[in-house]
Amino acid sequence: MKDVVSSELDVELDGLIVCPTCDATYRFEKPANGERAVCQRCHKVLIAPRRNAGLHIIAVALAVFFLIIGAAFFPFLTIDAAGNRNAVSILDAALAFSGGPMIFLSLATAALIIFVPLARVILTMYVLVPVVLDRPPARHAIRAFRLSEAMRPWSMAEIFAIGCAVALVKVADLAHVGFGPAFWMFGVLVVLVVAQDSFMCKWSVWNSLEHPKAKRS
Amino acid sequence: MGIVACRRCTKAQPLGTQTCPRCGHVLQSREPLSLQRVWAFWVLGLMCYIPANIYPMLKTRTLFKVEESTIIGGAVDIAHYGNYGIAAIILIASVVIPLGKFWAVAFLAISVKQRYKVTNHRRQILYEVVEYIGRWSMIDIFVVAILSALVQLKTLASINPGVASIFFALSVIFTMLSAQAFDSRLIWDAEAKDGGPARDER
Ligand SMILES: [Zn+2]
Ligand SMILES: [Zn+2]
């Protein structure tokens, strides 16, 4: 960073990449597919392009979209004890907090396990489909991708899945618990959500939004 | 230095650029008020964490009795039944992780002002662990949600959420916001100021 003289700045800037975590500056060099560019100071992965990553992400996103909708409405768990039966969907679980200020908790839970993951999937498809088809980016694609990235820590489907396991053990000796179709959908969903986040190279997306059709491989 | 970087898309811009032309993110050489925001959310989180442990988390009603259990009380009950693994998960997710997170965020925020013998890389790892693991505390809220929805067996048994659940959820949210407010570049600034290892270029 110190080496750059200000008169050269305009020419140089495009050739620089700055680590968002520690502010170290590097001369830009695109790694080959499957390779990774890692910050030498703080070891953050800066660029990690993959072949056909866009296509994979879209396919996974489509699957996640239908799984979320299915998992939200189909029965999720059933409980059976001395003739009393109760079947709940994930939406029921999210809305279990009722009465007074508990409503807030219901809304928050529903958002964290259903609406935020759903919104991220829709935004991802909106941003990536034109890019993969070599079309100019969709309108507001940049804002959409920013929003999707900002929501990332608030998407908690995988945590809910572990929560299910804990809850099942808690009631196992109280009653007989059965699994509905949504339970299995949700299991697949969690695996896909985690896989999708590891496919995505943020830098590649930003780059393709800035230079449509350019520098693609 | 002459340049300011976009934290969202890593593009470099001349110093003084207001918003990133690539992604529209507001550019700041260092987030102003980063530490103030960290501490504000930290205090809010801690204030919510205390009632979360005092008030009951679950109200269990069975045929003959109504039981109210706090977070720790619930874990102890489970351990009594012999489910040590689950008791450990609950204790780790609802007690160890939140307390560890309060300590870690406070340590990071203090360590950028004061000097400690902890390498920057260690502190960076600590920060990443805090950011990653903080969300997992939400697990207790989800367990309460599932139990309350599922166990509604008319006269036989029912489980309902207690007041503590709302405080606990708020505490997790505030500590997540506190960790997000921390500008990790501050960790590395102290070293640059000391004239330590030079910023490496490639
Ligand atoms: Zn770095
Ligand atoms: Zn940017």
Side-chain angles (χ1 to χ4, degrees), chain A residues 92-112:
Chain A
D92 291 331
L95 299 176
F97 305 98
S98 54
M102 290 287 192
I103 289 291
F104 154 80
L105 206 49
S106 270
L107 294 179
T109 314
L112 293 175

Side-chain angles (χ1 to χ4, degrees), chain A residues 146 206, chain B residues 5-13 19-27:
Chain A
R146 263 170 67 191
W206 286 124
Chain B
C6 176
R7 292 200 77 192
R8 212 185 283 267
C9 70
T10 71
K11 198 173 165 74
Q13 304 295 339
T19 52
C20 175
R22 173 147 76 180
C23 72
H25 190 51
V26 177
L27 297 181

Side-chain angles (χ1 to χ4, degrees), chain A residues 1-4 9-10 13-14 16-27 29 37-38 40-44 46 76-82 84-88 92-94 96-98 101-102 104-105 108-109 112-113 142-143 146-147 149-150 152-156 158-160 162-171 173-175 177 202-203 206-207 210-211, chain B residues 1-15 21-26 29-30 58 62 74 78 81 83 86 89-90 121 124 127-128 132 135-157 159-166 169-170 172-173 176-177 180 183-186 188-189 191-192 197-202:
Chain A
M1 212 181 271
K2 290 166 190 160
D3 309 343
V4 182
L9 265 178
D10 288 340
L13 284 177
D14 258 351
L16 292 180
I17 180 167
V18 184
C19 174
T21 317
C22 73
D23 230 18
T25 309
Y26 300 98
R27 224 169 298 270
E29 204 175 304
V38 180
Q40 290 180 344
R41 188 156 75 159
C42 73
H43 302 255
K44 185 182 171 62
L46 299 175
F76 178 56
L77 292 171
T78 55
I79 188 170
D80 222 323
N84 287 309
R85 230 181 110 78
N86 188 22
V88 291
D92 291 331
F97 305 98
S98 54
M102 290 287 192
F104 154 80
L105 206 49
T109 314
L112 293 175
I113 58 184
I142 285 174
R143 212 186 290 170
R146 263 170 67 191
L147 192 62
E149 282 301 305
R152 182 192 288 259
W154 304 100
S155 163
M156 298 193 180
E158 74 274 25
I159 299 172
F160 183 79
I162 305 293
C164 285
V166 175
L168 286 178
V169 174
K170 273 192 153 183
V171 290
D173 40 349
L174 186 74
V177 180
K202 284 190 270 179
W203 181 88
W206 286 124
N207 191 52
E210 190 186 31
H211 310 287
Chain B
M1 283 208 212
I3 59 173
V4 58
C6 176
R7 292 200 77 192
R8 212 185 283 267
C9 70
T10 71
K11 198 173 165 74
Q13 304 295 339
L15 194 63
R22 173 147 76 180
C23 72
H25 190 51
V26 177
S29 188
R30 293 294 173 270
L58 278 180
T62 46
I78 293 176
Y81 288 117
N83 287 320
I86 296 296
I89 289 182
I90 294 178
H121 197 227
Q124 180 67 39
Y127 176 68
E128 272 162 27
Y132 179 77
R135 313 156 60 230
W136 284 89
S137 296
M138 224 38 185
I139 198 172
D140 222 30
I141 294 300
F142 295 153
V143 171
V144 171
I146 297 166
L147 287 178
S148 313
L150 191 61
V151 185
Q152 294 296 344
L153 299 168
K154 296 181 191 114
T155 53
L156 196 65
I159 293 181
N160 286 304
V163 206
S165 52
I166 199 161
L170 282 173
V172 175
I173 290 171
M176 280 178 70
L177 290 172
Q180 282 176 17
D183 187 340
S184 62
R185 292 174 297 185
L186 292 170
W188 303 88
D189 280 351
E191 184 186 81
R199 286 162 180 272
D200 34 2
E201 286 206 21
R202 185 171 63 171

